[in-house]
Amino acid sequence: MRPGSTIYAFEPDPRNFELLCENVARSREVRTTVTPAAVSDQSGSAQLFHSPTNMGDHQLYRSDESRQSLDVPVTTLAAYFDGQASRSALVKMDTQGSEPRIFRASGVVLSPTARQSASIVEFWPYGITNSQESVRDFVERLSTYPHQPFIIDHPHGKLRAVGWDDLKRKSDTDLAPPHEPS
């Protein structure tokens, strides 16, 4: 990271937030701001549905009836950063299907004009669809950005470049659940 850079971390789950704060306290070399909130397409509050088996699989939508939920604060990136664009940013996002909502309400924070920025985004069509979003619309939005998409090729341990049209086709076939929301 460049000198003077800041990490902004968001975590809505109280237990995960506590773990995040412990990890941040161990690294005093990097300025980090942690916020106990989810990021989505509107500010306020929402239900966070807990996975009973995976602390990284809490969701802002009900995916099955067995999940317990709690009310958590929610913000948008545009609101959090007061509509200000960054000259450059590295965004890492793993929000279990809420990624389209975050991008939609990010304003200039995650803008296609931010050529010096890059995003590492979990692309999970099943979760996107379960959150009542369109995978195809999300890929269309991402294709307006000036960046080359890559897929993490886990079996070969490398990044593999992919075209936007290839990603659209792939999301329609082997990545997406059987039904898109109407």
mmCIF file of all heavy atoms in Angstrom, residues 5 10 27 38 55 57 61-63 68 74 82 85 89 92 105 136 145 150 157 175:
data_model
loop_
_atom_site.group_PDB
_atom_site.id
_atom_site.type_symbol
_atom_site.label_atom_id
_atom_site.label_comp_id
_atom_site.label_asym_id
_atom_site.label_seq_id
_atom_site.Cartn_x
_atom_site.Cartn_y
_atom_site.Cartn_z
ATOM 1 N N SER A 5 -2.101 5.468 2.809
ATOM 2 C CA SER A 5 -3.319 4.749 2.413
ATOM 3 C C SER A 5 -4.092 4.281 3.643
ATOM 4 O O SER A 5 -3.529 4.122 4.719
ATOM 5 C CB SER A 5 -2.964 3.522 1.573
ATOM 6 O OG SER A 5 -2.346 3.893 0.378
ATOM 7 N N PHE A 10 -15.725 -3.213 6.449
ATOM 8 C CA PHE A 10 -17.111 -3.243 6.925
ATOM 9 C C PHE A 10 -17.434 -4.667 7.334
ATOM 10 O O PHE A 10 -17.149 -5.613 6.600
ATOM 11 C CB PHE A 10 -18.073 -2.814 5.810
ATOM 12 C CG PHE A 10 -17.809 -1.424 5.315
ATOM 13 C CD1 PHE A 10 -16.885 -1.182 4.312
ATOM 14 C CD2 PHE A 10 -18.492 -0.350 5.858
ATOM 15 C CE1 PHE A 10 -16.636 0.095 3.849
ATOM 16 C CE2 PHE A 10 -18.256 0.941 5.410
ATOM 17 C CZ PHE A 10 -17.321 1.163 4.399
ATOM 18 N N SER A 27 -1.843 -5.288 13.459
ATOM 19 C CA SER A 27 -1.102 -4.659 12.374
ATOM 20 C C SER A 27 -1.177 -3.154 12.527
ATOM 21 O O SER A 27 -2.071 -2.504 12.004
ATOM 22 C CB SER A 27 -1.699 -5.079 11.023
ATOM 23 O OG SER A 27 -1.026 -4.412 9.994
ATOM 24 N N ALA A 38 -23.206 -3.496 7.460
ATOM 25 C CA ALA A 38 -23.215 -4.120 6.144
ATOM 26 C C ALA A 38 -23.206 -3.011 5.103
ATOM 27 O O ALA A 38 -23.559 -1.869 5.394
ATOM 28 C CB ALA A 38 -24.463 -4.985 5.979
ATOM 29 N N MET A 55 -19.007 -19.002 9.428
ATOM 30 C CA MET A 55 -19.008 -17.591 9.839
ATOM 31 C C MET A 55 -18.824 -16.629 8.666
ATOM 32 O O MET A 55 -19.034 -15.435 8.802
ATOM 33 C CB MET A 55 -17.915 -17.347 10.879
ATOM 34 C CG MET A 55 -18.208 -18.004 12.203
ATOM 35 S SD MET A 55 -16.866 -17.836 13.402
ATOM 36 C CE MET A 55 -16.685 -16.067 13.499
ATOM 37 N N ASP A 57 -20.550 -16.992 5.813
ATOM 38 C CA ASP A 57 -21.701 -17.170 4.924
ATOM 39 C C ASP A 57 -22.965 -16.524 5.487
ATOM 40 O O ASP A 57 -24.064 -16.999 5.267
ATOM 41 C CB ASP A 57 -21.943 -18.663 4.651
ATOM 42 C CG ASP A 57 -22.980 -18.898 3.570
ATOM 43 O OD1 ASP A 57 -23.126 -18.045 2.677
ATOM 44 O OD2 ASP A 57 -23.671 -19.933 3.628
ATOM 45 N N TYR A 61 -30.150 -11.728 2.990
ATOM 46 C CA TYR A 61 -31.387 -12.281 2.461
ATOM 47 C C TYR A 61 -31.589 -13.668 3.058
ATOM 48 O O TYR A 61 -30.637 -14.335 3.447
ATOM 49 C CB TYR A 61 -31.358 -12.359 0.924
ATOM 50 C CG TYR A 61 -30.186 -13.169 0.398
ATOM 51 C CD1 TYR A 61 -30.309 -14.540 0.187
ATOM 52 C CD2 TYR A 61 -28.963 -12.563 0.133
ATOM 53 C CE1 TYR A 61 -29.236 -15.289 -0.267
ATOM 54 C CE2 TYR A 61 -27.892 -13.302 -0.322
ATOM 55 C CZ TYR A 61 -28.035 -14.662 -0.517
ATOM 56 O OH TYR A 61 -26.968 -15.397 -0.959
ATOM 57 N N ARG A 62 -32.837 -14.074 3.146
ATOM 58 C CA ARG A 62 -33.148 -15.396 3.697
ATOM 59 C C ARG A 62 -32.944 -16.439 2.604
ATOM 60 O O ARG A 62 -33.596 -16.412 1.578
ATOM 61 C CB ARG A 62 -34.586 -15.458 4.197
ATOM 62 C CG ARG A 62 -34.954 -16.793 4.819
ATOM 63 C CD ARG A 62 -36.397 -16.844 5.282
ATOM 64 N NE ARG A 62 -36.662 -15.924 6.368
ATOM 65 C CZ ARG A 62 -36.363 -16.148 7.649
ATOM 66 N NH1 ARG A 62 -35.776 -17.257 7.991
ATOM 67 N NH2 ARG A 62 -36.659 -15.257 8.562
ATOM 68 N N SER A 63 -32.010 -17.359 2.843
ATOM 69 C CA SER A 63 -31.766 -18.400 1.849
ATOM 70 C C SER A 63 -32.351 -19.745 2.281
ATOM 71 O O SER A 63 -32.528 -20.615 1.454
ATOM 72 C CB SER A 63 -30.270 -18.549 1.565
ATOM 73 O OG SER A 63 -29.584 -18.911 2.747
ATOM 74 N N GLN A 68 -31.118 -18.123 11.679
ATOM 75 C CA GLN A 68 -31.503 -17.088 12.633
ATOM 76 C C GLN A 68 -31.015 -15.749 12.088
ATOM 77 O O GLN A 68 -30.054 -15.693 11.323
ATOM 78 C CB GLN A 68 -30.878 -17.353 14.001
ATOM 79 C CG GLN A 68 -31.285 -18.676 14.623
ATOM 80 C CD GLN A 68 -32.762 -18.694 14.968
ATOM 81 O OE1 GLN A 68 -33.280 -17.749 15.532
ATOM 82 N NE2 GLN A 68 -33.428 -19.774 14.598
ATOM 83 N N VAL A 74 -26.862 -0.745 8.074
ATOM 84 C CA VAL A 74 -26.475 -0.874 6.676
ATOM 85 C C VAL A 74 -26.168 0.514 6.137
ATOM 86 O O VAL A 74 -26.849 1.488 6.471
ATOM 87 C CB VAL A 74 -27.613 -1.512 5.843
ATOM 88 C CG1 VAL A 74 -27.222 -1.638 4.378
ATOM 89 C CG2 VAL A 74 -28.005 -2.869 6.402
ATOM 90 N N ASP A 82 -19.512 9.912 1.543
ATOM 91 C CA ASP A 82 -20.124 11.214 1.277
ATOM 92 C C ASP A 82 -20.025 11.602 -0.201
ATOM 93 O O ASP A 82 -19.767 12.757 -0.541
ATOM 94 C CB ASP A 82 -19.485 12.278 2.169
ATOM 95 C CG ASP A 82 -20.335 13.537 2.277
ATOM 96 O OD1 ASP A 82 -21.571 13.446 2.077
ATOM 97 O OD2 ASP A 82 -19.763 14.614 2.536
ATOM 98 N N ALA A 85 -15.214 10.551 -4.703
ATOM 99 C CA ALA A 85 -14.459 9.534 -5.436
ATOM 100 C C ALA A 85 -13.026 9.508 -4.927
ATOM 101 O O ALA A 85 -12.477 10.529 -4.518
ATOM 102 C CB ALA A 85 -14.477 9.834 -6.926
ATOM 103 N N ALA A 89 -8.314 2.988 -5.805
ATOM 104 C CA ALA A 89 -8.775 2.118 -4.726
ATOM 105 C C ALA A 89 -8.617 0.667 -5.157
ATOM 106 O O ALA A 89 -8.707 0.338 -6.338
ATOM 107 C CB ALA A 89 -10.243 2.398 -4.408
ATOM 108 N N LYS A 92 -11.955 -5.156 -2.239
ATOM 109 C CA LYS A 92 -12.111 -6.605 -2.095
ATOM 110 C C LYS A 92 -13.494 -6.820 -1.507
ATOM 111 O O LYS A 92 -13.822 -6.301 -0.444
ATOM 112 C CB LYS A 92 -11.028 -7.172 -1.186
ATOM 113 C CG LYS A 92 -10.972 -8.688 -1.209
ATOM 114 C CD LYS A 92 -11.598 -9.228 0.024
ATOM 115 C CE LYS A 92 -11.489 -10.738 0.068
ATOM 116 N NZ LYS A 92 -12.561 -11.296 0.876
ATOM 117 N N ALA A 105 -25.326 1.134 -5.726
ATOM 118 C CA ALA A 105 -25.452 2.314 -4.863
ATOM 119 C C ALA A 105 -24.100 2.875 -4.440
ATOM 120 O O ALA A 105 -23.997 3.557 -3.430
ATOM 121 C CB ALA A 105 -26.285 1.963 -3.633
ATOM 122 N N ARG A 136 -27.035 -11.584 -14.999
ATOM 123 C CA ARG A 136 -26.743 -10.965 -16.301
ATOM 124 C C ARG A 136 -26.622 -9.444 -16.168
ATOM 125 O O ARG A 136 -25.704 -8.836 -16.712
ATOM 126 C CB ARG A 136 -27.822 -11.325 -17.309
ATOM 127 C CG ARG A 136 -27.530 -10.754 -18.685
ATOM 128 C CD ARG A 136 -28.361 -11.407 -19.759
ATOM 129 N NE ARG A 136 -27.798 -12.665 -20.190
ATOM 130 C CZ ARG A 136 -26.792 -12.779 -21.050
ATOM 131 N NH1 ARG A 136 -26.240 -11.714 -21.543
ATOM 132 N NH2 ARG A 136 -26.349 -13.955 -21.420
ATOM 133 N N TYR A 145 -16.871 -1.244 -16.870
ATOM 134 C CA TYR A 145 -15.637 -0.820 -16.225
ATOM 135 C C TYR A 145 -14.465 -1.098 -17.166
ATOM 136 O O TYR A 145 -14.505 -2.050 -17.943
ATOM 137 C CB TYR A 145 -15.455 -1.549 -14.891
ATOM 138 C CG TYR A 145 -16.394 -1.049 -13.823
ATOM 139 C CD1 TYR A 145 -17.761 -1.290 -13.893
ATOM 140 C CD2 TYR A 145 -15.916 -0.311 -12.751
ATOM 141 C CE1 TYR A 145 -18.628 -0.807 -12.934
ATOM 142 C CE2 TYR A 145 -16.778 0.170 -11.776
ATOM 143 C CZ TYR A 145 -18.128 -0.081 -11.882
ATOM 144 O OH TYR A 145 -18.982 0.399 -10.926
ATOM 145 N N PHE A 150 -10.780 -11.389 -14.560
ATOM 146 C CA PHE A 150 -10.024 -12.623 -14.380
ATOM 147 C C PHE A 150 -10.843 -13.559 -13.510
ATOM 148 O O PHE A 150 -11.626 -13.116 -12.675
ATOM 149 C CB PHE A 150 -8.686 -12.353 -13.664
ATOM 150 C CG PHE A 150 -7.695 -11.614 -14.499
ATOM 151 C CD1 PHE A 150 -7.700 -10.226 -14.542
ATOM 152 C CD2 PHE A 150 -6.736 -12.301 -15.223
ATOM 153 C CE1 PHE A 150 -6.784 -9.537 -15.299
ATOM 154 C CE2 PHE A 150 -5.806 -11.605 -15.991
ATOM 155 C CZ PHE A 150 -5.825 -10.226 -16.029
ATOM 156 N N GLY A 157 -3.947 -22.845 -9.562
ATOM 157 C CA GLY A 157 -3.290 -21.843 -8.729
ATOM 158 C C GLY A 157 -2.886 -20.582 -9.474
ATOM 159 O O GLY A 157 -1.785 -20.067 -9.246
ATOM 160 N N LEU A 175 -22.472 -21.658 -14.049
ATOM 161 C CA LEU A 175 -22.345 -20.975 -12.770
ATOM 162 C C LEU A 175 -23.680 -20.625 -12.115
ATOM 163 O O LEU A 175 -23.768 -20.530 -10.908
ATOM 164 C CB LEU A 175 -21.540 -19.679 -12.930
ATOM 165 C CG LEU A 175 -20.084 -19.839 -13.312
ATOM 166 C CD1 LEU A 175 -19.460 -18.462 -13.525
ATOM 167 C CD2 LEU A 175 -19.313 -20.600 -12.259
#
